Amino acid sequence: MSLQQTKLFSPERQVVLPAGFAWYNYWDKCCYQGGQTIALATPIDSMPILVKAGAVIPHGPQLQYHDQVPADPLTIEVYAGADGEFCLYEDEGDSYRYEQGAYSEIQFAWNEQQRCLSISARQGQFSGMLAQRRFDVVLIEPLQQQQQTVHYVGDALCLYWK
């Protein structure tokens, strides 16, 4: 079977979605309500991934090794439908100095009712840390996506969405 034929071969699997949450197909951002069974395509060339509503998922540039370039900008995907949070942890990447406190953390918290993504003030620091970051925040909802860009300098802020 050729590679092109393999990509066309896309079996489906029956997937039971736990009740109480919406679930998104990571690849096409299609949203499904929990508490049902869906037929999910499972092509051989991509892993099927479902993301629970409320997830906050960071994506950085592709790197070949840990200190190739600073991982900036970061894309932060927020999956609407429930509250969620994520902590961005960073350190030097090549030592044990994190054990002595040489690291930083930035908390991201999505509040579904207020439709607000809170980004906390940076806690901690380390040698070589980026003082300023760019976050491209993408709010993923059923049938739409919205994006805002944040130039983060270490202070707390909130992004509100319509």
Side-chain angles (χ1 to χ4, degrees):
M1 186 180 294
S2 74
L3 181 58
Q4 189 172 18
Q5 289 171 321
T6 302
K7 286 185 178 187
L8 296 175
F9 180 68
S10 182
E12 290 184 342
R13 300 283 187 253
Q14 297 298 307
V15 177
V16 178
L17 301 176
F21 294 97
W23 296 87
Y24 292 84
N25 181 321
Y26 176 79
W27 302 111
D28 65 12
K29 309 306 184 206
C30 185
C31 185
Y32 304 95
Q33 289 306 310
Q36 67 175 326
T37 301
I38 63 169
L40 186 65
T42 55
I44 197 164
D45 61 341
S46 67
M47 177 178 282
I49 300 172
L50 291 169
V51 178
K52 187 168 99 172
V56 179
I57 301 177
H59 297 278
Q62 286 190 338
L63 304 176
Q64 296 298 315
Y65 48 92
H66 82 281
D67 64 351
Q68 177 180 350
V69 295
D72 192 62
L74 290 180
T75 299
I76 309 294
E77 291 184 342
V78 178
Y79 289 81
D83 292 349
E85 59 185 51
F86 165 76
C87 179
L88 176 62
Y89 170 90
E90 297 179 294
D91 63 26
E92 295 168 317
D94 63 356
S95 75
Y96 289 99
R97 288 185 285 274
Y98 66 90
E99 293 176 342
Q100 287 79 44
Y103 64 89
S104 73
E105 293 180 334
I106 303 170
Q107 298 284 337
F108 294 79
W110 171 250
N111 183 307
E112 179 67 22
Q113 185 176 3
Q114 295 178 357
R115 295 184 55 77
C116 170
L117 178 68
S118 298
I119 304 174
S120 74
R122 181 186 292 119
Q123 300 297 312
Q125 61 183 1
F126 60 93
S127 177
M129 177 182 81
L130 292 175
Q132 298 182 24
R133 304 294 307 255
R134 187 178 104 198
F135 299 131
D136 295 326
V137 181
V138 181
L139 177 63
I140 298 167
E141 303 178 275
L143 306 177
Q144 73 173 353
Q145 294 182 29
Q146 301 177 58
Q147 182 172 333
Q148 293 187 44
T149 296
V150 174
H151 297 282
Y152 180 79
V153 295
D155 299 325
L157 57 95
C158 278
L159 295 177
Y160 289 94
W161 305 82
K162 293 181 181 182

